[in-house]
Amino acid sequence: MQTQKALFMGRITAGATHEIKNVLAIIKESAGLIEDLISLGEKNGRIPVEKLTKTLTKITDQVNRGVELSTRLNEFAHTPDQDAAPVDLNIAVERVVSLSQRFARLKRVRLEAHRKDGEQSVFTDPLAFLMLMFSGIELLMNHVGENGLISVEPSPAQGDIAAISSVPAGTTMAMDDAKTLMETEGFQRVEELARNLNMPVRLEGPPLRLVIAEPVGSPV
């Protein structure tokens, strides 16, 4: 499990730092454009205010994006601090969805997080739980197809702590898809991670939905 955790952290960190590099590249490019606009304005005696404002807005947007990415990455880095702790399900869902966005874009899949009112929590291994949700997201991303939608929500029903749903673009998944999915290495990986946490998992549908249930013998 420790090796799996290390590989997972490396993969997520690599994805997040790649996104941060993209943010810095856009800021650098925009700063260069501002220099060119100012230089051009000095030559012709007219500063292109509208273009400058638009470029500055772009920089501000990227700075905000960079702050969010670095904050999420910092929070993620502290996830292994405890092997067992209360995990806020709303925060966990938002965190794993935020850190998975790059992987979703590469698959051309939309990925959304949904919150539930009130406090929703489970006592478990925080990092292993994120691994489980990420593996579930990846499983359905590989199956839903381009332009499909993956949504993640906490506490979808009594006795369940999270659900990962898939909605393909233009076609409807059949129940046979669930049977096919259960035979894949991806689903076997999900089952293994779930067993380590004593959390039963099941596939429902159509549309396909992976549900993670409460730990056996442990109250949420």
Side-chain angles (χ1 to χ4, degrees), residues 56-74:
L56 286 170
T57 299
K58 187 176 183 180
I59 289 176
T60 300
D61 290 343
Q62 290 302 314
V63 168
N64 291 335
R65 182 175 171 229
V67 169
E68 181 184 356
L69 283 167
S70 58
T71 299
R72 294 290 187 188
L73 186 57
N74 180 264

Side-chain angles (χ1 to χ4, degrees), residues 79-96:
T79 306
D81 289 352
Q82 294 177 293
D83 290 333
V87 174
D88 185 305
L89 294 176
N90 277 317
I91 292 175
V93 164
E94 289 178 346
R95 184 172 298 166
V96 74

Side-chain angles (χ1 to χ4, degrees), residues 38-49:
I38 291 174
S39 177
L40 182 63
E42 289 175 344
K43 289 179 181 178
N44 60 27
R46 186 175 60 188
I47 300 294
V49 176

